[in-house]
Amino acid sequence: MDSITESPSRFDHLDKMSVHELLVGINQEDKTVAFSIEEAIPQIEKLVEAIYEKMKTGGRLFYLGAGTSGRLGVIDASELPPTYGVESDLAVALIAGGDNAFRKAVEGAEDDIELAWKGLLKHNIQPNDSVVGIAASGTTPYVIGGVASARKIGCVTGCITCNKNTPLSSTVEHAIEVSVGPEFVTGSTRMKSGTAQKMVLNMISTTLMIRLGKVKGNKMVNMQLTNQKLIRRGTRMIMEELNLPEEEAREKLLMLGSVEKVLSTYKSNNY
């Protein structure tokens, strides 16, 4: 299998370039990522629709990854509860080597083909759950083993990879292959590949949250009020939606705990 992610960079003599030349070169490469993702939208759509159908019945979303890919999954899953007010176990990310691997590589963990499935079993994986493997190379045993076992029990399975026709893609039902080409630094998949994976994860989780009713209009009405910035944001939403003065809007928000609850309570009492 030809590995695009391991192909030589289009740029050479990086060590001889000025700071300006390096920055311009990296930026030129980064500009291509969104266009590569655009080509994969039909595949992303099919995966999102399949996950959504499972989530409507109470299913959860699991991400599996190693290294940069695993860390991106952790970031995406961990940001959903504060942003959309969902339960912390609605989206769960497992990374090869466990939580310690988020900051420091754990030797050999990504080569263990049974490890991810053991992690999923600890979370009581069920057929109505969905499992998405994230691997730029598309060859990571940890990810392949996890999605293969999940598919056997009836889970929706998908993947995000930056190579074509990989072992991972052939293992899942819904393969998202975003071919971003060679990295600026040869083989450094934390760069364009990582950017592509992050963007696709944003697309998947954001679309799911909107479809699950966690957004009204264009606003995050279920966000957790964890700091003053978010309290101010929620207050503005209520002021705009209900035409209330700031002090009253803030008071209602803090009393009920979310913009959604304020809007629902107000409308039920006034209509």
Side-chain angles (χ1 to χ4, degrees), residues 248-268:
E248 184 179 353
R250 179 185 172 89
E251 180 181 328
K252 289 181 180 296
L253 176 64
L254 294 177
M255 180 175 63
L256 295 177
S258 76
V259 175
E260 172 68 15
K261 289 180 180 178
V262 173
L263 298 183
S264 298
T265 301
Y266 183 89
K267 290 177 180 179
S268 65

Side-chain angles (χ1 to χ4, degrees), residues 181-198:
E183 297 288 357
F184 183 74
V185 176
T186 299
S188 181
T189 53
R190 75 183 187 90
M191 301 185 76
K192 287 193 300 181
S193 296
T195 299
Q197 290 172 329
K198 172 60 175 167

Side-chain angles (χ1 to χ4, degrees), residues 22 53 69 80 90 109 144 150 179 182 198 210 229 255:
L22 289 169
E53 290 301 318
S69 299
L80 297 185
L90 181 65
I144 294 171
S179 181
K198 172 60 175 167
I210 294 170
K229 179 189 73 175
M255 180 175 63

Side-chain angles (χ1 to χ4, degrees), residues 207-242:
T207 302
L208 285 170
M209 293 301 102
I210 294 170
R211 295 288 288 156
L212 289 170
K214 304 304 179 181
V215 172
K216 299 297 182 185
N218 58 14
K219 296 179 174 63
M220 300 176 289
V221 294
N222 288 283
M223 63 186 177
Q224 295 178 0
L225 306 176
T226 54
N227 56 53
Q228 290 301 312
K229 179 189 73 175
L230 297 179
I231 292 173
R232 289 194 296 270
R233 181 188 296 168
T235 299
R236 288 196 303 271
M237 291 181 190
I238 295 168
M239 291 169 62
E240 293 169 2
E241 188 72 20
L242 302 180

Side-chain angles (χ1 to χ4, degrees), residues 40-56 61 63 130 132 156-160 173-176 199-212:
I41 285 178
Q43 289 71 47
I44 300 172
E45 180 180 358
K46 290 177 182 178
L47 176 58
V48 170
E49 292 284 9
I51 296 173
Y52 174 62
E53 290 301 318
K54 291 281 190 177
M55 280 189 155
K56 285 196 302 183
L61 171 60
Y63 293 138
S130 302
V132 177
V156 164
T157 56
C159 73
I160 307 170
E173 300 163 276
H174 303 281
I176 299 169
M199 291 174 71
V200 173
L201 287 168
N202 283 347
M203 294 168 76
I204 291 172
S205 59
T206 302
T207 302
L208 285 170
M209 293 301 102
I210 294 170
R211 295 288 288 156
L212 289 170

Side-chain angles (χ1 to χ4, degrees), residues 46-172:
K46 290 177 182 178
L47 176 58
V48 170
E49 292 284 9
I51 296 173
Y52 174 62
E53 290 301 318
K54 291 281 190 177
M55 280 189 155
K56 285 196 302 183
T57 67
R60 299 164 294 169
L61 171 60
F62 289 89
Y63 293 138
L64 303 178
T68 297
S69 299
R71 295 181 188 104
L72 291 170
V74 172
I75 290 170
D76 194 76
S78 64
E79 289 178 344
L80 297 185
T83 305
Y84 297 106
V86 298
E87 296 297 324
S88 60
D89 64 349
L90 181 65
V92 178
L94 303 183
I95 181 172
D99 291 345
N100 290 337
F102 193 80
R103 294 183 179 274
K104 186 177 180 180
V106 177
E107 186 175 351
E110 71 173 64
D111 295 325
D112 189 334
I113 199 166
E114 301 292 339
L115 192 59
W117 179 241
K118 292 176 182 177
L120 290 170
L121 288 176
K122 289 180 180 179
H123 287 274
N124 193 29
I125 186 78
Q126 297 294 319
N128 68 331
D129 294 327
S130 302
V131 181
V132 177
I134 314 167
S137 67
T139 61
T140 309
Y142 172 87
V143 178
I144 294 171
V147 294
S149 295
R151 185 173 183 179
K152 287 178 182 178
I153 70 165
C155 296
V156 164
T157 56
C159 73
I160 307 170
T161 181
C162 296
N163 281 318
K164 298 285 188 180
N165 304 314
T166 66
L168 177 57
S169 295
S170 65
T171 303
V172 303

